[in-house]
Amino acid sequence: QSDEYEEDDYSDNNYDPEASERKQHAMENSALNGESLTEHLLKQLGEIDIPQEMYDIGEMLIGNLDANGFFIVPLETLFENSDYTEEQINRAVSIVQTFDPYGICVKDFRESLIVQAKCSSMAQEDLEVFSKLVLEHLEDIQSGNLNQVAFKLHIYKEDLETFINILKS
């Protein structure tokens, strides 16, 4: 992995406020250098030691991503005429999701946020709460119902505010 691309660090809920800026800068530099997201991901795929079938699936996955890293065609459709097993496909998805930038190889922005949290080494218990927040309570947060969301998630409002700060980053 190139030194040009740095990883965000949310571990132990210590958000590095400069990490988001570094990631944005790296993505802009990539675009300035003429490297597309697809090229950037394929380069990373070529740098890891995986079986040929994982490489082939990874290549198909990367080719099925839009400029935001979201699936163009649902996975079920993409692989419906292939001989790959669901386990192989899921394993390849997990591999590609670890590539820079985090949050790619997903169906939508909610899933992207969860993948970013997973890749940040967030504690499992926090990841479960964060995932529930992203999947079920974003609209409540937008409406300003923080006390209600904290109650539903069984966490303190201060902890919810920490998750919201991570979400904003």
Side-chain angles (χ1 to χ4, degrees):
Q1 192 170 7
S2 167
D3 291 337
E4 178 181 337
Y5 297 95
E6 298 183 33
E7 299 176 2
D8 289 355
D9 180 17
Y10 305 131
S11 58
D12 299 324
N13 289 331
N14 292 328
Y15 170 64
D16 176 358
E18 297 172 355
S20 180
E21 189 175 314
R22 287 193 307 267
K23 183 175 180 182
Q24 181 66 29
H25 181 69
M27 290 175 70
E28 287 170 1
N29 282 344
S30 176
L32 291 174
N33 293 332
E35 184 179 61
S36 70
L37 176 63
T38 300
E39 291 167 333
H40 180 62
L41 296 172
L42 287 173
K43 185 161 75 172
Q44 291 175 78
L45 182 65
E47 292 173 352
I48 60 173
D49 185 25
I50 54 174
Q52 184 63 43
E53 81 248 354
M54 285 292 104
Y55 181 87
D56 294 343
I57 296 169
E59 200 171 43
M60 288 178 69
L61 289 168
I62 292 168
N64 183 45
L65 300 177
D66 66 16
N68 295 311
F70 300 158
F71 294 128
I72 297 169
V73 175
L75 285 182
E76 305 78 39
T77 305
L78 182 65
F79 291 101
E80 68 186 350
N81 294 322
S82 76
D83 292 329
Y84 300 119
T85 66
E86 187 175 341
E87 181 182 333
Q88 289 173 313
I89 295 166
N90 290 337
R91 195 168 357 136
V93 167
S94 294
I95 291 168
V96 175
Q97 286 178 341
T98 65
F99 293 171
D100 174 63
Y102 293 144
I104 50 99
C105 203
V106 294
K107 66 180 178 182
D108 59 27
F109 80 96
R110 291 177 194 261
E111 194 175 325
S112 177
L113 293 169
I114 294 168
V115 167
Q116 290 175 55
K118 283 180 186 175
C119 291
S120 72
S121 302
M122 184 181 282
Q124 184 61 36
E125 183 178 315
D126 290 340
L127 182 59
E128 290 170 13
V129 173
F130 184 80
S131 297
K132 192 169 184 177
L133 170 71
V134 168
L135 294 172
E136 300 174 16
H137 299 291
L138 287 183
E139 292 78 12
D140 292 330
I141 289 172
Q142 283 182 312
S143 301
N145 299 329
L146 300 187
N147 289 331
Q148 180 182 0
V149 173
F151 177 77
K152 287 180 179 179
L153 293 174
H154 308 289
I155 61 175
Y156 293 107
K157 187 175 177 188
E158 293 78 19
D159 293 336
L160 176 60
E161 289 169 355
T162 300
F163 284 121
I164 291 171
N165 288 332
I166 293 169
L167 191 60
K168 288 178 180 178
S169 67

